[in-house]
């Protein structure tokens, strides 16, 4: 319909937000840092993808949304992602449950999970969403999750919508989704790398 053609789809909104972030990171002046509120705006849009996963992944969605919400709250006091890390480093709370730096690490995992999912999704036309999601999860999240969580996730995989159902929910076709997924993969990479560097440059390993 005409309406569908003129309304921005959720995937378009996500792609545009991450392209803006990655463009900023690519041409930033040395003294300009990524703003936390801007980062949160982009991350909030990704919640839509998690909400498309169905009831079995309600917990995953709530986890992601809760972590992003914590960072939105933090953005009222901290201007940049650097500021968040610096405070937690000073207080030795980077890995403390519930700390902003820990939640940032979780959100980063969510962004990377979607990147890996899209790569799997595009790697073959016959790939089911379940296969794509299982592979992406095994690569990005499983190494850091407890046995209980991993078990729940693998059971939940059987309840995922089909590839076609997901595209329908996102108001995309195979063709439109493919282009946007490629753009997200390209745009999210520098953002994820930037976040990793925040930790590494402060001598914090990423094995958690
Ligand atoms: C369209 C997208 C398809 C992807 C399907 C894969 C679903 C993956 C589900 C992830 C499940 C997350 C479960 C929660 C993990 C918690 O152990 C962790 N929270 C997060 C967000 O990683 C706990 O963090 P915390 O509170 O100990 O810092």
């Amino acid at each position: 319909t005409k309406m569908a053609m003129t309304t921005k789809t959720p995937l378009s909104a996500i792609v545009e937000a991450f392209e803006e972030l990655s463009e900023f990171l690519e041409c930033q002046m040395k003294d300009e840092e990524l703003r936390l509120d801007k980062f949160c705006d982009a991350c909030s849009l990704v919640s839509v993808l998690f909400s498309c996963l169905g009831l079995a992944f309600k917990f995953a969605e709530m986890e992601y949304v809760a972590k992003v919400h914590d960072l939105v709250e933090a953005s009222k006091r901290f201007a940049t992602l650097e500021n968040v890390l610096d405070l937690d480093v000073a207080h030795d709370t980077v890995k403390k449950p519930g700390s902003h730096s820990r939640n940032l690490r979780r959100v980063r995992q969510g962004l990377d999970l979607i990147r890996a999912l899209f790569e799997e999704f595009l790697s073959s036309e016959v790939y089911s969403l379940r296969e794509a999601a299982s592979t992406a999860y095994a690569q990005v999240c499983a190494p850091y999750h407890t046995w209980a969580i991993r078990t729940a996730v693998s059971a939940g995989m059987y309840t995922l919508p089909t590839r076609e159902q997901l595209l329908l929910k996102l108001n995309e076709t195979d063709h439109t989704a493919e282009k946007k997924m490629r753009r997200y993969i390209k745009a999210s990479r520098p953002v994820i790398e930037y976040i990793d560097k925040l930790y590494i440059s402060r001598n914090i390993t990423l094995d958690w």
Side-chain angles (χ1 to χ4, degrees):
T1 66
K2 193 161 185 205
M3 189 62 192
M5 285 173 70
T6 52
T7 309
K8 205 192 281 181
T9 70
L11 202 48
S12 293
I14 292 168
V15 167
E16 282 167 27
F18 278 88
E19 282 179 342
E20 226 177 273
L21 292 183
S22 70
E23 272 159 33
F24 173 82
L25 290 174
E26 265 155 37
C27 62
Q28 66 176 315
M29 314 282 281
K30 272 256 148 22
D31 57 348
E32 238 192 311
E33 297 169 357
L34 188 58
R35 289 197 57 88
L36 183 58
D37 52 6
K38 218 164 164 262
F39 173 74
C40 288
D41 288 343
C43 294
S44 302
L45 297 170
V46 175
S47 307
V48 177
L49 291 179
F50 283 99
S51 71
C52 288
L53 299 180
L55 208 57
F57 283 106
K58 195 77 202 150
F59 175 70
E61 183 198 349
M62 285 164 58
E63 270 290 312
Y64 179 81
V65 169
K67 299 328 190 205
V68 172
H69 183 256
D70 173 71
L71 295 180
V72 170
E73 285 301 307
S75 73
K76 292 170 187 166
R77 288 184 295 125
F78 301 93
T80 68
L81 281 71
E82 303 247 357
N83 297 154
V84 167
L85 263 288
D86 286 337
L87 184 97
D88 279 319
V89 167
H91 292 174
D92 198 18
T93 48
V94 171
K95 299 186 187 179
K96 190 183 169 199
S99 80
H100 300 317
S101 297
R102 178 166 167 137
N103 289 338
L104 175 62
R105 173 94 185 118
R106 304 304 187 211
V107 170
R108 176 254 183 249
Q109 291 294 87
L111 302 179
D112 202 19
L113 178 67
I114 300 300
R115 185 217 33 91
L117 174 79
F118 287 176
E119 287 197 353
E120 290 304 315
F121 202 91
L122 294 174
S123 69
S124 158
E125 288 297 313
V126 293
Y127 234 134
S128 71
L129 180 63
R130 181 183 3 128
E131 284 175 277
S134 301
T135 307
Y137 176 77
Q139 279 174 9
V140 176
C141 292
Y144 310 103
H145 283 171
T146 61
W147 178 84
I149 299 272
R150 292 199 310 271
T151 305
V153 169
S154 53
M157 290 294 176
Y158 289 87
T159 70
L160 283 179
T162 65
R163 188 190 175 99
E164 289 70 29
Q165 286 167 339
L166 180 69
L167 290 173
L168 215 59
K169 279 188 205 198
L170 293 174
N171 200 11
E172 303 281 349
T173 64
D174 249 314
H175 184 68
T176 59
E178 181 176 328
K179 279 198 266 184
K180 290 170 199 174
M181 286 179 182
R182 285 194 202 290
R183 285 168 61 195
Y184 175 82
I185 291 167
K186 185 156 179 270
S188 64
R189 212 169 257 135
V191 177
I192 291 166
E193 269 171 33
Y194 173 82
I195 298 169
D196 286 350
K197 273 191 213 144
L198 293 175
Y199 296 85
I200 293 166
S201 65
R202 289 167 177 79
N203 289 321
I204 304 156
T205 55
L206 298 177
D207 55 353
W208 51 290

